[in-house]
Amino acid sequence: MLRTSDTWGAFREVRSLLWSKIKQARKLFIDRALSSTRPKEIWQTVYRILNPSPQPLRLDVDELNNFFASTAERTTGNSEVDIKEDLINFVQSLHPTTSNHDLLKLRVVTVAEVLREIKVIRTDASTGHDQLPAKYQKLVAEHIVGPLAHIINSFIKILSFPDAWKVARESPIPKVNHPVKNADMRPISILPVLSKVYEKLVHRQVVEFIESRMIFMENISGYRKGHSTVPSLGIRDDILHAMKRGELTLTILADLSKAFDTIRYKTILRKLSHLGFSKDYLIWTINYLSGRQHFVQTDDKVSDRCNVNFGVRGGGEHSTTPGTFFRVRIIQLKVTSHPVKSEVSGKIKFEFDIIVLPAIKI
């Protein structure tokens, strides 16, 4: 390279531009990181900045992808896969418990509904495999809402879900500070933005039906708008009152391991039918759940795609369709409370308030 005044001038100009871009990128990163309204997310970002990973992930992306895909098989020991045609025949054999007029049937959506869902998309969310950022889709929302509404309604009419919107990009997040094996990683599923728009439109219809029919008990608060864990705090008051009366309280809690990953499709379909969902909606559910794929990406390494045969994927937003499926899965876990009295040595009386979760076969 010749060290002439022209080349040095060009070099300094490019160097100044590069430093300017780096400075802008840093400022943009900080603005985005601290713009969240969720304190937990902000502190997680601060922690990552103050405690950077000492070394990049050295795990094989294909092995990690296969590990994530086999979660249900490892957890339940069941490798049986439900074939789509078998699921459709299974739905046709089900008998609704209510009249045909009371069943949930998906309706077409309006342009205004689609535009509303696009407008509320989080712009700080990661981009799916289609590489279409939410930020730019919101900028052109008024221009794409008409064609998008037509596409979504076309799929609603044929009770289907686009295959391109079923592919999830799995972003592995370490569970520990120094991950050395596949089990140390947690998958975060990142779906295309447009798939979330379609999903939320259907989810709203499902929630309206569920709330109008009062299908879920009031003490089921997870993934429900307007609900929180505050009513559950009444258990604390009951325990304190029991202690003041000299009584003991026995509580039995159940934790479903890998709950979203191990949902069996036939279980969901059977319960949805029992709760008043039409066969048309069940067919849509089959098309929504079946044929899904995912791949793992870490930095510039991308794995091959794997088929998803169990469970539901929703990324960080399990408040939509996957969350509803999970609540339907546990709907038969009724919480009951009753006193059990006993005497020890004929002198001391104990009263146990036992919260029982009846065992059912999922």
Side-chain angles (χ1 to χ4, degrees):
M1 180 177 180
L2 298 177
R3 296 189 178 184
T4 63
S5 59
D6 293 338
T7 55
W8 273 107
F11 169 75
R12 285 193 295 267
E13 183 179 349
V14 173
R15 182 179 61 182
S16 299
L17 179 61
L18 176 61
W19 281 111
S20 176
K21 293 295 184 181
I22 293 176
K23 185 177 179 180
Q24 292 177 9
R26 286 176 176 173
K27 183 179 183 302
L28 181 61
F29 170 78
I30 294 175
D31 291 342
R32 287 183 175 178
L34 302 181
S35 64
S36 176
T37 57
R38 302 178 182 180
K40 183 178 180 180
E41 292 182 356
I42 295 177
W43 284 112
Q44 286 177 344
T45 301
V46 173
Y47 179 83
R48 288 199 301 268
I49 295 175
L50 297 179
N51 301 274
S53 178
Q55 58 183 4
L57 298 177
R58 302 297 184 185
L59 300 176
D60 183 272
V61 290
D62 287 303
E63 291 183 3
L64 189 59
N65 196 37
N66 292 328
F67 180 82
F68 291 154
S70 60
T71 297
E73 182 178 350
R74 295 195 314 274
T75 304
T76 64
N78 184 11
S79 58
E80 181 182 355
V81 177
D82 292 323
I83 307 300
K84 181 178 179 179
E85 289 72 18
D86 294 340
L87 292 175
I88 294 177
N89 293 333
F90 175 75
V91 166
Q92 298 300 338
S93 67
L94 296 174
H95 300 286
T97 57
T98 57
S99 63
N100 190 53
H101 298 288
D102 297 330
L103 299 175
L104 171 66
K105 298 179 181 179
L106 293 181
R107 58 170 177 81
V108 295
V109 297
T110 64
V111 172
E113 289 176 314
V114 178
L115 183 60
R116 177 189 59 192
E117 296 301 339
I118 297 177
K119 290 293 187 181
V120 298
I121 294 174
R122 290 177 50 185
T123 56
D124 59 343
S126 299
T127 304
H129 72 93
D130 56 359
Q131 298 298 311
L132 295 176
K135 177 181 179 180
Y136 299 126
Q137 295 186 51
K138 294 184 72 172
L139 290 175
V140 298
E142 287 77 7
H143 301 283
I144 67 173
V145 63
L148 180 59
H150 175 73
I151 293 173
I152 291 176
N153 284 331
S154 298
F155 277 98
I156 289 178
K157 291 177 182 179
I158 62 175
L159 309 175
S160 188
F161 200 92
D163 290 337
W165 293 354
K166 296 181 184 180
V167 181
R169 177 170 66 87
E170 301 287 355
S171 178
I173 305 299
K175 299 179 183 178
V176 296
N177 292 331
H178 304 287
V180 294
K181 58 181 183 296
N182 293 334
D184 294 335
M185 309 301 294
R186 176 184 293 107
I188 301 298
S189 298
I190 303 171
L191 293 165
V193 173
L194 295 180
S195 74
K196 298 178 182 179
V197 173
Y198 184 10
E199 185 178 308
K200 287 184 178 180
L201 289 167
V202 173
H203 175 69
R204 286 187 181 275
Q205 297 185 37
V206 173
V207 169
E208 291 175 2
F209 175 78
I210 289 175
E211 298 297 340
S212 64
R213 295 282 298 272
M214 294 184 291
I215 293 177
F216 291 141
M217 296 179 292
E218 285 299 319
N219 58 0
I220 297 181
S221 58
Y223 316 111
R224 297 180 69 182
K225 185 177 181 179
H227 290 72
S228 67
T229 58
V230 173
S232 302
L233 297 178
I235 298 177
R236 172 182 174 274
D237 296 333
D238 294 338
I239 294 176
L240 292 176
H241 292 158
M243 293 174 63
K244 292 179 180 179
R245 296 193 301 265
E247 301 169 352
L248 298 179
T249 301
L250 175 63
T251 304
I252 303 175
L253 305 176
D255 180 20
L256 302 180
S257 178
K258 307 293 183 183
F260 286 98
D261 295 308
T262 57
I263 292 179
R264 290 298 302 270
Y265 297 160
K266 285 186 178 180
T267 301
I268 292 296
L269 297 172
R270 183 186 303 109
K271 291 186 178 181
L272 287 174
S273 176
H274 177 74
L275 295 174
F277 290 76
S278 67
K279 289 187 177 181
D280 283 349
Y281 178 79
L282 299 185
I283 297 297
W284 182 91
T285 300
I286 293 175
N287 288 319
Y288 169 81
L289 293 174
S290 62
R292 289 190 168 266
Q293 295 180 318
H294 63 67
F295 64 92
V296 169
Q297 180 176 2
T298 59
D299 298 326
D300 59 340
K301 298 179 180 179
V302 180
S303 72
D304 294 331
R305 295 184 180 183
C306 278
N307 295 324
V308 179
N309 299 317
F310 293 90
V312 290
R313 296 290 185 186
E317 297 191 34
H318 281 151
S319 59
T320 52
T321 306
T324 302
F325 287 157
F326 175 66
R327 292 197 303 274
V328 168
R329 183 192 186 195
I330 65 173
I331 193 66
Q332 293 180 348
L333 294 176
K334 297 184 180 297
V335 180
T336 60
S337 176
H338 59 83
V340 178
K341 298 180 179 180
S342 69
E343 296 184 2
V344 178
S345 302
K347 296 180 180 180
I348 305 177
K349 178 182 292 186
F350 295 89
E351 185 171 311
F352 299 85
D353 291 328
I354 303 179
I355 298 177
V356 181
L357 292 174
I360 62 173
K361 186 176 182 180
I362 302 292

